Amino acid sequence: AVCANGNSEPLEFRLPTCECAIPEAFATPLGYKRQGSESWACASGYQGTPVAICEKDGECLVEPVLEGCEASPSCVVPDACQYALTNCTEMSPGSSCAVQCKAPYVGLATGTLSCPATVAAAETLAVWVGDALSCELRCADGPPPEGYVKSATREAWDAFDCAPRFVGDAAQVSCAIGSDCVATASFSGCLAVCAMPESDPCRFDLTACEVVPRGSECAVPCQSPYVTVG
């Protein structure tokens, strides 16, 4: 500032150019990263333009602060039991991740989820690159309930036959998934039969009673040359 001789006017200011500078020892705040010694950029997962602030709301700040970077809206992934999404916990714009089938689902391929480069709003759903990953529900191998035995001629996980002293269609085996992602196998179709009682084979014809499901009955005529009396 200059005050000329004999001047009664206010000081004549010759002001320097002042910039808000971030010191070298400045702790990097969340969402920002250094680029060289003097410039800054938004960190991965953040967007905007970083600006150093030395005064705010008309008040001088003791230390400068960085503003301008905000968390980028991230993509959300399908909430489904069949996908292993450990690689997709944070899907920032432009990122992608590999997805595999998760037990009790099985599948041979690996799918890819992608987050668009520009995410305009939160809760944007990640999209499949190509076809969606196909996973088949399969209940874990284990001992079947009474009345069923693993098929000796078919290799599928749900291939069962009726056990001895059981009759019916053992192919009715299904696998269902619960809200807790636990699979449960359901068996139906095999009915227990009643054991044959001791009887005189010469007197009674038990041909129709060789296989009688529980809850049903069979006719027992006399064996020839015996005849029914009464």
Side-chain angles (χ1 to χ4, degrees):
V2 176
C3 181
N5 291 329
N7 187 9
S8 61
E9 298 296 324
L11 288 173
E12 178 184 349
F13 281 102
R14 299 173 185 174
L15 300 177
T17 300
C18 300
E19 293 183 351
C20 185
I22 302 294
E24 285 287 339
F26 185 76
T28 303
L30 181 66
Y32 298 83
K33 63 179 180 180
R34 280 189 179 273
Q35 285 189 325
S37 59
E38 298 181 356
S39 61
W40 293 81
C42 294
S44 176
Y46 290 78
Q47 60 186 11
T49 302
V51 178
I53 302 295
C54 289
E55 56 183 279
K56 190 172 184 179
D57 299 330
E59 295 185 5
C60 301
L61 300 179
V62 176
E63 294 183 352
V65 296
L66 282 173
E67 292 185 351
C69 292
E70 297 180 352
S72 302
S74 59
C75 286
V76 295
V77 295
D79 183 13
C81 294
Q82 66 261 43
Y83 301 129
L85 299 170
T86 53
N87 297 324
C88 308
T89 53
E90 295 182 5
M91 292 209 69
S92 57
S95 65
S96 61
C97 61
V99 183
Q100 294 179 321
C101 296
K102 181 177 67 174
Y105 288 85
V106 295
L108 300 178
T110 298
T112 302
L113 282 172
S114 175
C115 184
T118 301
V119 179
E123 304 301 315
T124 298
L125 188 65
V127 296
W128 290 103
V129 177
D131 295 332
L133 180 62
S134 178
C135 301
E136 177 188 358
L137 178 61
R138 180 176 298 178
C139 284
D141 291 333
E146 182 185 11
Y148 299 83
V149 293
K150 192 68 177 175
S151 175
T153 57
R154 295 171 293 158
E155 296 183 357
W157 76 268
D158 57 350
F160 289 85
D161 295 324
C162 291
R165 306 305 304 171
F166 285 79
V167 294
D169 180 10
Q172 299 176 37
V173 181
S174 61
C175 187
I177 193 78
S179 58
D180 56 356
C181 294
V182 175
T184 304
S186 299
F187 292 77
S188 62
C190 291
L191 302 175
V193 298
C194 290
M196 190 76 73
E198 292 185 7
S199 61
D200 184 351
C202 295
R203 187 182 299 271
F204 304 109
D205 182 0
L206 300 176
T207 304
C209 299
E210 292 180 354
V211 179
V212 181
R214 293 175 183 174
S216 59
E217 56 185 40
C218 61
V220 183
C222 293
Q223 187 82 274
S224 178
Y226 290 91
V227 295
T228 304
V229 179

